[in-house]
């Protein structure tokens, strides 16, 4: 893997102390900072537009380290760039604090939802990231009708039977076979298709700009410096090949598993109770008939069609999702 821990530490340090604005890039690249931690890089004749984001949740550090290493390679001229590229370090104040967020979960605030959120760091930052991505795609339009791809990298709170997976937002435009080939080259274990709009960054880029977009869950969240980076080697290699415009690495793992969301468990009151042990992993298959959650006058039961649980979390605020039940997607739509 081309990851240099030393360089990435220096870059994260520089990023968090806002010194990166002085960074130098190869003369062939037009570099501009659209916001703190948001870098636009344009080669002379881009063949596509790519947004790579990390740190939308400030405690999910492994993807930030990976992005910092990629940035180091770009600055050194070691990473060829054939795509218009927007690198997004999502939430610098939360990264500095080592917290998921300071005031509210930013990955629920996109698509204008920040206007109705608690005013604070994340509502401001979500608005600025929307403006920066709009400016990027507007600039890209001048280069022609380029394919648009967005990967938003995260790590999960709990363990997972399928350690690395993609969540594809609800979308009405076509996602091409090349996008799924990219996910396969990342050696992901599974792909989950959402069936309803949401406030995620990946949904926003898909919905507002027609990007083929997904959230990548790449393993468990750990503090800076404690991430086993070999786990991210395949994703890193696939992203580097995408940016270089070279052939994607061949997949070595068994084929990806495809799922689609069958039921969203939405907590509506403080009486909500989740009948799952906190140690239950994502993609655990639950028995049919099991009462997974209840509220004063409502109950959610597992059926035999959609028994896989994803992101169970009873401690979300009322109105938010406390878990998803998945069914297999036997003929995934592109
Ligand atoms: Zn996250």
């Amino acid at each position: 893997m081309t990851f240099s821990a030393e360089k990435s530490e220096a870059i994260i340090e520089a990023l968090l102390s806002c010194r990166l604005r002085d960074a130098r890039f190869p003369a062939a690249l037009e570099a501009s900072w659209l916001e703190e931690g948001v870098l636009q890089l344009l080669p002379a004749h881009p063949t596509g537009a790519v947004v790579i984001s990390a740190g939308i949740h400030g405690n999910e550090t492994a993807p930030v380290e990976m992005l910092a290493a990629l940035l180091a390679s770009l600055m050194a001229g070691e990473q060829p760039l054939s795509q218009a590229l927007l690198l997004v370090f999502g939430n610098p104040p939360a990264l500095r604090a080592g917290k998921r967020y300071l005031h509210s979960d930013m990955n629920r605030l996109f698509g204008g939802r920040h206007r109705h959120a608690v005013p604070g760091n994340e509502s401001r930052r979500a608005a600025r990231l929307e403006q920066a991505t709009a400016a990027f795609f507007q600039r890209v339009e001048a280069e022609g009708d380029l394919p648009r791809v967005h990967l938003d990298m995260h790590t999960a709170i709990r363990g997972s039977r399928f350690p690395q997976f993609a969540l594809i937002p609800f979308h009405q435009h076509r996602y091409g076979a090349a996008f799924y080939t990219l996910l396969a080259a990342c050696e992901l274990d599974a792909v989950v298709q959402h069936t309803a709009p949401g406030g995620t960054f990946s949904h926003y880029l898909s919905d507002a700009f027609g990007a083929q977009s997904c959230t990548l869950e790449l393993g468990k969240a750990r503090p800076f410096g404690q991430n086993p980076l070999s786990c991210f080697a395949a994703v890193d290699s696939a992203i580097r090949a995408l940016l270089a415009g070279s052939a994607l690495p061949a997949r070595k793992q068994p084929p990806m598993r495809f799922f689609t969301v069958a039921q969203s468990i939405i907590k509506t009151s403080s009486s909500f109770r989740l009948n799952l042990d906190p140690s239950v992993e994502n993609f655990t298959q639950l028995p049919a008939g099991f009462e997974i959650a209840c509220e004063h006058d409502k109950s959610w039961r597992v059926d035999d069609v959609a028994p896989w649980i994803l992101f169970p979390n009873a401690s979300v605020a009322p109105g938010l999702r406390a878990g998803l039940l998945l069914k297999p997607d036997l003929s995934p739509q592109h």
Side-chain angles (χ1 to χ4, degrees):
M1 177 172 189
T2 51
F3 197 101
S4 155
E6 219 171 85
K7 269 189 200 165
S8 81
E9 268 174 37
I11 288 199
I12 290 167
E13 172 55 34
L15 177 81
L16 297 186
S17 57
C18 306
R19 281 187 283 109
L20 259 186
R21 281 182 181 272
D22 304 327
R24 297 256 177 278
F25 292 91
L29 298 179
E30 181 193 314
S32 22
W33 293 91
L34 305 186
E35 266 297 332
E36 182 193 2
V38 181
L39 175 67
Q40 173 179 283
L41 286 174
L42 298 173
H45 304 288
T47 55
V50 176
V51 179
I52 312 274
S53 49
I56 292 285
H57 292 135
N59 61 332
E60 298 175 1
T61 55
V64 174
E65 292 180 20
M66 203 167 108
L67 210 60
L70 177 64
L71 178 53
S73 305
L74 288 159
M75 285 163 64
E78 296 161 0
Q79 166 66 43
L81 187 61
S82 66
Q83 314 284 306
L85 175 63
L86 193 70
L87 289 181
V88 179
F89 293 88
N91 192 342
L95 284 165
R96 281 183 201 104
K99 291 183 169 172
R100 185 172 171 84
Y101 54 79
L102 301 188
H103 301 112
S104 43
D105 186 340
M106 190 158 74
N107 216 23
R108 306 283 179 274
L109 299 185
F110 291 96
R113 290 166 180 81
H114 51 82
R115 287 187 208 103
H116 313 292
V118 185
N121 172 58
E122 282 75 22
S123 58
R124 281 194 301 274
R125 181 68 173 168
R128 287 187 179 162
L129 291 184
E130 287 186 0
Q131 287 162 10
T133 44
F136 171 68
F137 286 117
Q138 197 176 15
R139 173 65 185 83
V140 158
E141 260 173 23
E143 306 289 338
D145 189 14
L146 303 178
R148 300 169 171 195
V149 167
H150 171 217
L151 302 177
D152 184 31
M153 301 191 290
H154 288 249
T155 48
I157 300 168
R158 64 177 62 222
S160 180
R161 299 267 166 111
F162 298 122
Q164 299 194 327
F165 55 99
L167 292 145
I168 298 188
F170 170 74
H171 59 93
Q172 287 170 311
H173 57 288
R174 191 169 181 277
Y175 277 35
F179 185 71
Y180 289 90
T181 305
L182 171 66
L183 299 185
C186 290
E187 301 284 7
L188 299 182
D189 304 292
V191 176
V192 177
Q193 176 62 59
H194 266 299
T195 47
T200 61
F201 196 32
S202 64
H203 181 265
Y204 174 66
L205 265 73
S206 176
D207 189 54
F209 308 111
Q212 296 173 67
S213 173
C214 70
T215 303
L216 291 179
E217 294 289 354
L218 298 175
K220 242 183 155 175
R222 293 175 211 272
F224 277 125
Q226 295 178 26
N227 296 298
L229 289 167
S230 56
C231 301
F232 306 95
V235 178
D236 184 66
S237 300
I239 288 175
R240 285 172 182 267
L242 170 74
L243 296 182
S246 54
L248 292 170
R251 182 177 175 87
K252 298 181 193 77
Q253 301 295 320
M256 296 187 292
R257 298 274 301 263
F258 287 85
F259 296 90
T260 189
V261 173
Q263 199 183 160
S264 292
I265 301 169
I266 307 292
K267 172 178 175 176
T268 61
S269 84
S270 54
S271 70
F272 182 88
R273 207 178 74 231
L274 196 61
N275 301 323
L276 278 182
D277 189 276
S279 66
V280 166
E281 295 178 314
N282 283 326
F283 296 100
T284 296
Q285 199 169 347
L286 301 170
F290 175 66
E291 185 190 58
I292 184 168
C294 57
E295 276 185 2
H296 48 92
D297 59 349
K298 189 164 178 174
S299 159
W300 288 267
R301 283 185 190 279
V302 176
D303 64 33
D304 52 2
V305 179
W308 287 275
I309 182 71
L310 187 61
F311 300 141
N313 184 0
S315 61
V316 295
L320 292 182
R321 181 194 75 201
L324 297 169
L325 284 164
L326 309 178
K327 62 182 180 183
D329 191 346
L330 299 175
S331 55
Q333 298 293 307
H334 292 161

